[in-house]
Amino acid sequence: MTGDASTSSADEAPELELGAVPGERTTGRRRGETARSDAGRPVPPFVERLAWLLDDSIRVPGTDRRVGLDGAIGMVPGLGDGAGLVASTVVIVTAVHQGVSLPTVGRMVGNVLIESLVGVVPFLGDAFDFVWKSNSRNVALLRAELAEPARTRRSSIAALGISAIVVVSLLAITVAAVLLGVWLLVRAVDAVL
């Protein structure tokens, strides 16, 4: 019987080590901590801690809301937004190292670009940093990609497609507004002369 137990535990050890049991969490983990994906690739704990630090480390007194250092360091003119962008890049580089698909990496970059572009606007950008939480979004995408790569890839392609349509539409509206403004200005000048 001891021979059977040692044989079966030796046979099971690689399976547990690789995380081959879908959906199984390691015992002793608290809710929200890193769990292995079906493929056995874990989200590196330092990435989860970095995202938490940047997006959720500070509890707002009297509320259930949490904010992070990303919005706070963003308030430092010039330096803050750049530091937040560098820290956010660590999450993306780790995702690339983990083998995340190109559409999902594109979606992650989009999350950081949105936060960075809006972050340039004084005060509004800092408030947006507290709400948007691109690092937490990107860690969730990384987790999803490692667990269900095909599904996450499809949803990322859809999100990128919708984003492209929105950007092209906004660009077309901007160009049309500028052309209309120029046309109205030329007509006004012609009417005066």
Side-chain angles (χ1 to χ4, degrees):
M1 187 158 194
T2 45
D4 292 336
S6 65
T7 307
S8 71
S9 66
D11 291 341
E12 290 175 12
E15 184 176 76
L16 294 174
E17 186 177 319
L18 296 175
V21 181
E24 182 175 273
R25 298 179 65 127
T26 305
T27 16
R29 291 195 187 271
R30 292 184 311 215
R31 184 178 178 164
E33 281 191 67
T34 305
R36 289 188 179 272
S37 68
D38 291 345
R41 294 180 296 162
V43 175
F46 81 90
V47 172
E48 296 225 14
R49 281 192 300 272
L50 177 63
W52 174 82
L53 181 68
L54 292 172
D55 293 340
D56 294 313
S57 59
I58 304 166
R59 189 176 137 296
V60 178
T63 69
D64 289 337
R65 300 277 311 163
R66 297 188 73 81
V67 296
L69 294 178
D70 194 19
I73 62 173
M75 291 181 191
V76 178
L79 176 68
D81 291 326
L85 182 61
V86 168
S88 296
T89 304
V90 171
V91 177
I92 296 171
V93 168
T94 302
V96 169
H97 181 66
Q98 291 280 322
V100 169
S101 68
L102 189 58
T104 303
V105 170
R107 195 168 163 191
M108 291 175 154
V109 169
N111 285 337
V112 172
L113 282 178
I114 288 169
E115 186 175 271
S116 296
L117 290 175
V118 177
V120 172
V121 180
F123 303 112
L124 172 68
D126 299 320
F128 185 74
D129 276 349
F130 288 126
V131 176
W132 183 250
K133 301 183 179 194
S134 68
N135 301 295
S136 294
R137 289 172 185 263
N138 287 347
V139 168
L141 281 171
L142 174 57
R143 221 182 275 120
E145 175 86 15
L146 293 175
E148 298 181 69
R151 181 177 182 194
T152 308
R153 192 175 304 114
R154 284 191 306 270
S155 71
S156 294
I157 289 171
L160 288 172
I162 291 168
S163 298
I165 290 169
V166 168
V167 167
V168 168
S169 299
L170 289 174
L171 186 61
I173 290 169
T174 303
V175 168
V178 167
L179 291 175
L180 177 63
V182 169
W183 180 74
L184 288 173
L185 184 63
V186 168
R187 289 199 43 134
V189 168
D190 284 345
V192 171
L193 297 177

